[in-house]
Amino acid sequence: MLTAAPPGLWFGTQAVEMAHAALELLATIARSAHGATAAQLWPLVSGEPVVDEEQLGEWVGRVNTALGRWTPAWYVAWFPDEEEPRFVLVDATRRSTTMAALPAPRTDIIGRDDAIQRVVSELRAHRFVTVLATGGMGKTTVALAAAHLAASEHPDGVHFIDLAPFVDAELAVQGVVTALGCAASGVEALAALQRWAAGRRALFVLDSCEHVIEAAAQVTEALLGAGPATAVLATSREPLRAAGEWLYRLAPMRLPRPGEAVSASQALDFPALRLFIERAGVPDAGFVLQDAELPLLVALCTRLDGIALAIEIVAARAGALGLAALARQVEQRLLQLPGPPTAAPARHTTLFALLDWSYQLLSPGEQQVLRRLSVFRNGFTLDAAIEVTTGPAADATGVQEDLLDLVAKSLVAPVRGSEPGRLRLLDTTRAYASARLDEARERDAVSRRHALWLASALTEAERRWDGMSRAQWLLRYAPLIDDSRAALDWAFTPGGDVELGIELTLSSFALGRQMLLVDEFTRRVEQTMEALVARGMDPAAKGAGGAISSPHMRLIFLVGCLGTGGSARMQALAPALKSLSAMAPDATSLLHRFGACNSMWALSVAEGDFRSGGEWADRLTQTAEAIADPVAHLVAGRIQAQNLHFMGRHVEATEMARRVLHEAWRTIPLAYNPSPVELRVSMRVVLARALWMQGLPERAAAMALEAMDQARTDSPLAQCQAIVMGSMPVALWSGLDDTARALAAQVTDVETIQGFGYWLRWGKRFGDVLSLRAGSPLPAMQDAGFFDEPDEVLADHLATLDERWLSPSCIQRVEAGMVGWCAPEVLRRLGERALHEAMPASLARGEALLQRSLALARRQGTAAWELRTASSLASHWQARDRAQEARALLEPVLARFTEGFKTADWRAAQGLLAALQ
């Protein structure tokens, strides 16, 4: 609680020590939900006229340090709005939401009230309804309106997914999973989707299913199989043919019956006529309906089959042509249709004929703009449309006028519920315009401009990352993902541009990573590298001047930072990375050197070689000093803290982690390939582990809990890391198996819902440990390789939990100094293994190993490992009638503990000491 008089910050009855200026800073930030700007905060800490952002950041760091001593629930973050960067007080207990937001409801729906109510009723009764109709009939409009009406019955949310941008079934399934914030792909995607929906009362709206029918059916059956409370509302031109489907066939807009006389006053009672009159009678259209023209209007709308989009397209021409001429032209176009359609419904053929008729009436400029807009897979702004559709000699002003005319003619539509001015082609119109683009042989030229526009948009996204919160950034730039896929697909075709494809791969990966599409975009990176090699452009090869091009360097760094260290591709790139890390120190090459060192550190960690990782971490720190960028220092500091801990230098790791936490408010630019786990989480994980090693298990558990709390507002990946690398090992090492079991359930929930296979393996292995401790049989133990773990880092953890996982590889790495944090425990377990052999030579070897373990634990300051080894050695001496020596060894070790008296190790040691009295 913040108090004004006297000024102070209180947690319960305890006052938080904080300088007066820091309290003023916090109070000002907390006063508004939108936080405070640097200009507002600077006078509180300095009398200088010019804002010093570095000094202000130091003050914010002090505030966060003070808050962090008392609660993980609140912290000050660089959380700016669109207008001016701001510092905002963030509640870390608030969970992030998914990106599948329901578009805003329309207020101009004509004649669909009964259909909307019927869909809501059928959805309530059957849980799975498909709104069925030909293109342009208004399926999406009805479905969205019904979803808004039904929203109150689905407290876990209404999730809208437009399937129109997806070109194949796998991407369609991936699109649904991603919209919900999950990260599964391939065969795991449907299972992850089902787990996400289990137990939720949620409604899923799947729009435009007809081109990915099988995928939509699979998604629907997975969702409905999750439980009885999930509902699906789909729109399609044909049934999904999935289990439980209830079809609602959307009728054409209502018209007078044949022969029914209609007066002018009655015309508006018929939705089809009303739609035509309202769309044709917009200001400046020049159309006024005369009573004598009513029969002609009825005949025209009847000829258009009551299709809403067709009526809108034709109505847009009424002012220019007049109703009589308009009717004649439409009739002539429809009479030119081929014989009875075989592959498409009659109404669908009618719509395409009307699109073709409308296209022929466009000016050459309007035709060009419309067909070129078909390369966009999602919405677009006016500026984006001009950039992509404008040729070298085109007039941008003319293009803008053409585009606005296309909007007026209902061929281009506004995107509802998004930023103002955003437009799109309806999927039917896009399909027609795309065919015209191929017919004009403009595909490659326009796709190139689209790719160039996208590269620019992604560059803007990278630049804006530093000045926006993650949620704001994703809201604005996530819609680019479908265009990214389309542009990347084109870039590596025979008519594409490989170098442009490299740039797009690099720039789109950050977007994919933030959207949890890591697997998909990792494959994109690998495909890019394979395409380069196939063209004789190996990214690791040097050019004529002995240099590697900048884009190729960044591609290499990206692969390195993915953590795919064991792969043949990564091993092949290692020589190039080492070469790049030794580049001459100019401004540009320093960043390349930084990226190379970062990648080599990732490679070393993936191989479990923290000694080599330490060398790369040191070089990274040196390069950060040369760059003189505080963010580079922060990135290097995170890596140092983690590597120091894994090398067993826990005191230094603790100091470094706290230093990094002090500046965790900074945003890491995308150019540095920031970890998907924020510093406020990863550094607390390091601190939790180091505290346990130093004999402070209660503080370690509290810090691990802080990391979990912070991870709730970070990402699902952060939640996994906080549990699997923090809370769960601390609980297992402490012998708190019930706590560990509850944590295992949590990580399984997060992992299986989100689909992160890597951490799921860790959670499963820790679950195996718990089962073995409980004496539960594991059928998999019959497998000779059950205790063989290929992941070196996971193997190290398992070796500290059960002697059967102590592998030759782990022992070799400890003896070689490649890993230090687990070394005292590995030596202890080796010593006990030797003692159990009960041979004179093995007894001597076992005691020597225990003495080595004890000495190493003392050098590292790891009281937890020291207690275990002292207990093992004391127990051995007790059996050899050396009780006095055993007591002299164990008693002072136990006496140094000030907490953790409920842990298994402390209780066992206390019991042994009592037996030695």
Side-chain angles (χ1 to χ4, degrees):
M1 179 178 66
L2 280 166
T3 58
L9 176 64
W10 300 78
F11 283 95
T13 59
Q14 297 294 314
V16 178
E17 292 186 11
M18 192 181 295
H20 179 76
L23 279 171
E24 289 289 327
L25 198 76
L26 178 59
T28 302
I29 294 170
R31 197 166 292 133
S32 168
H34 301 292
T37 66
Q40 291 171 319
L41 298 176
W42 180 243
L44 303 176
V45 297
S46 175
E48 297 295 325
V50 179
V51 176
D52 184 334
E53 292 188 356
E54 292 301 317
Q55 188 176 342
L56 182 60
E58 287 291 326
W59 278 98
V60 170
R62 292 170 200 164
V63 170
N64 280 335
T65 299
L67 289 173
R69 294 193 186 103
W70 291 91
T71 176
W74 294 93
Y75 65 97
V76 175
W78 190 241
F79 199 77
D81 63 17
E82 293 296 312
E83 302 299 328
E84 186 176 4
R86 293 172 179 267
F87 288 97
V88 176
L89 188 61
V90 174
D91 180 357
T93 63
R94 292 179 59 194
R95 293 181 180 271
S96 57
T97 58
T98 66
M99 294 179 291
L102 191 64
R106 291 184 59 168
T107 58
D108 59 347
I109 301 175
I110 295 174
R112 292 303 192 187
D113 291 347
D114 290 345
I116 293 166
Q117 292 292 345
R118 179 69 182 277
V119 169
V120 172
S121 176
E122 299 292 0
L123 191 62
R124 190 178 294 124
H126 303 288
R127 288 205 303 138
F128 173 25
V129 176
T130 299
V131 179
L132 204 64
T134 189
M137 195 70 80
K139 300 183 296 294
T140 301
T141 298
V142 169
L144 286 176
H148 278 286
L149 281 181
S152 61
E153 301 175 24
H154 299 89
D156 291 314
V158 180
H159 308 279
F160 175 79
I161 299 98
D162 181 8
L163 298 180
F166 301 108
V167 297
D168 62 44
E170 183 177 351
L171 285 179
V173 175
Q174 181 70 67
V176 178
V177 172
T178 302
L180 299 175
C182 301
S185 60
V187 295
E188 291 295 322
L190 289 172
L193 186 62
Q194 191 169 53
R195 288 187 291 264
W196 189 97
R200 297 179 190 253
R201 293 178 60 193
L203 170 61
F204 297 84
V205 182
L206 305 181
D207 191 35
S208 301
C209 298
E210 54 275 349
H211 65 300
V212 284
I213 284 288
E214 184 177 350
Q218 291 173 345
V219 165
T220 299
E221 290 180 346
L223 290 171
L224 296 178
T230 304
V232 175
L233 176 57
T235 72
S236 180
R237 295 176 191 164
E238 59 180 283
L240 273 59
R241 298 178 178 84
E245 183 176 26
W246 187 270
L247 299 179
Y248 177 78
R249 298 184 184 276
L250 184 62
M253 302 198 79
R254 192 164 62 87
L255 286 157
R257 293 187 300 274
E260 182 180 359
V262 178
S263 67
S265 60
Q266 295 173 325
L268 296 180
D269 294 335
F270 295 93
L273 303 183
R274 181 179 173 185
L275 178 63
F276 187 101
I277 292 168
E278 289 194 5
R279 298 298 187 263
V282 296
D284 302 324
F287 174 77
V288 179
L289 180 66
Q290 305 298 322
D291 286 349
E293 294 179 313
L294 273 172
L296 189 59
L297 176 59
V298 172
L300 175 59
C301 290
T302 302
R303 194 69 177 92
L304 296 175
D305 293 323
I307 301 173
L309 180 58
I311 292 172
E312 292 195 41
I313 291 172
V314 172
R317 295 286 180 180
L321 298 176
L323 195 57
L326 185 63
R328 283 194 302 271
Q329 289 197 20
V330 169
E331 184 66 20
Q332 290 171 1
R333 174 61 60 177
L334 294 179
L335 287 174
Q336 293 173 8
L337 289 174
T342 56
R347 289 194 178 96
H348 190 64
T349 306
T350 298
L351 179 58
F352 261 70
L354 262 298
L355 284 168
D356 193 57
W357 167 79
S358 183
Y359 182 79
Q360 298 302 329
L361 290 177
L362 298 176
S363 69
E366 290 171 334
Q367 291 180 346
Q368 178 177 277
V369 170
L370 180 64
R371 64 177 180 259
R372 291 179 177 182
L373 287 174
S374 68
V375 296
F376 286 103
R377 298 302 304 172
N378 214 310
F380 49 84
T381 63
L382 181 61
D383 289 341
I386 290 173
E387 185 173 342
V388 172
T389 62
T390 301
D395 175 15
T397 303
V399 171
Q400 180 174 342
E401 293 174 354
D402 290 336
L403 182 57
L404 295 177
D405 284 341
L406 291 171
V407 173
K409 294 167 183 173
S410 298
L411 292 170
V412 174
V415 178
R416 298 183 182 276
S418 68
E419 60 186 275
R422 195 166 177 81
L423 305 168
R424 64 167 292 187
L425 295 186
L426 299 180
D427 55 321
T428 305
T429 310
R430 181 190 295 114
Y432 174 84
S434 181
R436 300 288 77 78
L437 185 69
D438 288 329
E439 188 179 79
R441 298 184 179 180
E442 294 179 331
R443 173 74 61 186
D444 284 339
V446 179
S447 294
R448 183 181 301 279
R449 286 201 294 274
H450 174 255
L452 289 169
W453 159 79
L454 180 65
S456 176
L458 290 170
T459 298
E460 176 197 311
E462 181 175 341
R463 185 175 65 252
R464 295 299 300 275
W465 168 267
D466 296 346
M468 302 173 72
S469 70
R470 174 186 286 171
Q472 289 173 317
W473 189 83
L474 283 173
L475 185 64
R476 168 164 287 194
Y477 295 109
L480 294 177
I481 200 70
D482 296 315
D483 285 295
S484 297
R485 288 167 170 146
L488 285 168
D489 288 342
W490 167 81
F492 294 101
T493 62
D497 185 328
V498 173
E499 288 296 331
L500 183 54
I502 296 173
E503 281 296 331
L504 290 174
T505 300
L506 292 166
S507 52
S508 63
F509 185 86
L511 177 60
R513 194 179 196 187
Q514 293 303 319
M515 292 179 68
L516 304 181
L517 296 172
V518 177
D519 287 348
E520 177 188 341
F521 278 81
T522 297
R523 289 195 300 270
R524 294 267 184 195
V525 171
E526 292 173 347
Q527 289 168 1
T528 300
M529 300 187 75
E530 290 168 2
L532 294 178
V533 172
R535 288 166 171 78
M537 302 165 61
D538 191 331
K542 297 182 179 180
I548 301 175
S549 71
S550 179
H552 289 193
M553 290 180 190
R554 291 172 58 204
L555 191 63
I556 293 171
F557 302 155
L558 187 58
V559 177
C561 289
L562 291 177
T564 54
S567 69
R569 168 63 63 188
M570 191 62 241
Q571 294 290 346
L573 292 177
L577 286 168
K578 291 178 180 178
S579 175
L580 292 171
S581 69
M583 295 177 66
D586 59 68
T588 301
S589 64
L590 280 174
L591 289 175
H592 291 154
R593 180 192 292 183
F594 191 88
C597 292
N598 196 344
S599 297
M600 285 304 300
W601 177 78
L603 171 59
S604 300
V605 169
E607 295 176 336
D609 185 356
F610 295 100
R611 182 180 62 185
S612 176
E615 296 171 0
W616 289 111
D618 289 342
R619 294 178 69 172
L620 192 69
T621 300
Q622 295 166 6
T623 307
E625 292 172 355
I627 295 174
D629 179 358
V631 174
H633 280 282
L634 203 57
V635 174
R638 174 186 69 83
I639 288 173
Q640 283 282 14
Q642 291 173 324
N643 209 89
L644 286 168
H645 161 67
F646 283 109
M647 280 302 293
R649 296 162 63 180
H650 305 295
V651 174
E652 296 169 86
T654 299
E655 181 183 349
M656 181 63 71
R658 293 196 183 281
R659 194 182 309 165
V660 171
L661 266 181
H662 188 70
E663 294 191 79
W665 57 270
R666 295 185 185 275
T667 299
I668 309 298
L670 295 177
Y672 284 103
N673 284 323
S675 167
V677 179
E678 292 186 5
L679 298 172
R680 57 191 170 94
V681 178
S682 61
M683 292 299 95
R684 282 180 166 87
V685 170
V686 170
L687 288 172
R689 294 169 61 93
L691 286 168
W692 189 91
M693 302 288 169
Q694 294 171 80
L696 301 168
E698 293 174 14
R699 291 186 227 179
M703 182 61 70
L705 184 60
E706 281 190 28
M708 289 174 60
D709 288 339
Q710 293 283 340
R712 290 193 182 98
T713 52
D714 186 358
S715 69
L717 280 171
Q719 294 176 48
C720 291
Q721 188 176 110
I723 298 173
V724 174
M725 293 294 287
S727 294
M728 204 163 178
V730 166
L732 287 168
W733 291 328
S734 300
L736 304 177
D737 288 359
D738 288 341
T739 301
R741 201 167 284 110
L743 289 166
Q746 287 188 47
V747 77
T748 299
D749 288 344
V750 175
E751 276 289 331
T752 54
I753 286 172
Q754 302 297 337
F756 307 133
Y758 179 74
W759 291 121
L760 185 59
R761 179 172 179 81
W762 281 64
K764 182 181 182 303
R765 280 305 210 179
F766 285 160
D768 291 342
V769 171
L770 288 167
S771 296
L772 291 173
R773 286 184 178 181
S776 302
L778 289 173
M781 287 181 61
Q782 304 303 318
D783 183 354
F786 178 77
F787 290 104
D788 295 334
E789 175 51 56
D791 184 320
E792 301 284 12
V793 181
L794 174 55
D796 292 344
H797 285 74
L798 295 171
T800 67
L801 300 170
D802 191 303
E803 189 268 340
R804 286 168 287 187
W805 266 293
L806 185 57
S807 65
S809 174
C810 178
I811 297 168
Q812 184 272 329
R813 289 169 50 252
V814 165
E815 293 289 4
M818 296 169 67
V819 59
W821 73 274
C822 60
E825 178 65 356
V826 167
L827 293 173
R828 182 188 75 85
R829 289 186 181 275
L830 278 175
E832 288 206 331
R833 182 183 286 179
L835 292 177
H836 289 155
E837 295 176 9
M839 301 293 291
S842 63
L843 290 174
R845 185 174 73 256
E847 185 167 334
L849 284 166
L850 291 177
Q851 291 287 5
R852 280 183 61 196
S853 171
L854 194 66
L856 180 57
R858 287 170 174 168
R859 286 201 304 273
Q860 291 184 354
T862 50
W865 295 146
E866 183 185 359
L867 178 62
R868 283 193 182 183
T869 303
S871 296
S872 293
L873 193 55
S875 179
H876 170 63
W877 284 347
Q878 180 190 34
R880 297 295 182 275
D881 296 325
R882 298 167 63 183
Q884 185 174 354
E885 293 177 73
R887 187 169 57 252
L889 170 65
L890 186 58
E891 192 169 33
V893 176
L894 267 174
R896 291 202 304 272
F897 276 76
T898 59
E899 60 178 67
F901 305 133
K902 295 181 179 180
T903 64
D905 289 342
W906 196 91
R907 293 199 311 270
Q910 186 65 34
L912 176 59
L913 183 62
L916 291 170
Q917 299 300 328

